Amino acid sequence: MHSGDARPARGSGSDNPGDAPVEAARILVVDDDPALARMMRIALRANGFAVRLAANGEQALERIAEETADAILLDLQMPVMDGRAFFRELRARSIETPVIVVSAFGAEDAARELGAQASIAKPFDPDRLIDVIHDVTS
C-alpha cells in the first residue's frame, strides 16, 4: 500500500487525525553479525518499520512461523542454516514474502540465482536500504 516516496506510518502520528493508525511494515532482519543487525534495526525503526531479528535461517523460520513479515533482509553467510538454504525452505513452505539479499559477496548474483526480489551489497548506505525496502513492499 506504499507508493513512491511514501514512508510507513509511525502509529498514531497520522497527518489525517480522523484516520485510524496504519500498521508499520514488518521487517525480519536475518544476519549473524549482531552489530550490523542492531544497526539495521535502529535505522529501520527510525523510519517507522517494526523490526524482528534472527541470527540464522533456523531462527528466521521460527520467527516467520510466529508472525509474518512484509519483507526479509537476508544475509547469505551464516552458521546453522545459511541464507540460500533459508530462502529455499521459505519458498518450499509457499511463503512468498519479498526477500532482499544483503551480502558483501555477490548479493546481486545470489538474488538473481535464488529469485529474490532485490539485493544490496554490504557495506550499504542506510537510506539506500530504506529505498530498496520501499521498492519491494510497494
Side-chain angles (χ1 to χ4, degrees), residues 8-9 23-31 33-55 63-64 66-74 129-130 133:
E23 185 176 324
R26 297 161 302 187
I27 308 299
L28 176 61
V29 175
V30 187
D31 199 306
D33 180 337
L36 182 61
R38 282 192 303 272
M39 186 277 299
M40 284 193 274
R41 179 173 55 195
I42 290 166
L44 294 170
R45 284 184 174 169
N47 281 276
F49 294 100
V51 182
R52 296 187 69 190
L53 302 179
R63 302 280 190 278
I64 290 290
E66 295 166 1
E67 179 184 16
T68 60
D70 296 305
I72 298 170
L73 301 179
L74 180 64
L129 179 65
I130 301 302
I133 292 170

Side-chain angles (χ1 to χ4, degrees), residues 5 7 39-40 43-44 46-47 49 120 123-135:
D5 291 333
R7 297 291 188 232
M39 186 277 299
M40 284 193 274
L44 294 170
N47 281 276
F49 294 100
I120 190 163
F124 54 84
D125 172 23
D127 290 334
R128 173 72 181 124
L129 179 65
I130 301 302
D131 290 343
V132 171
I133 292 170
H134 282 294
D135 288 346

Side-chain angles (χ1 to χ4, degrees), residues 101-112:
V101 173
V102 182
S103 181
F105 307 103
E108 189 175 328
D109 290 340
R112 192 172 24 259

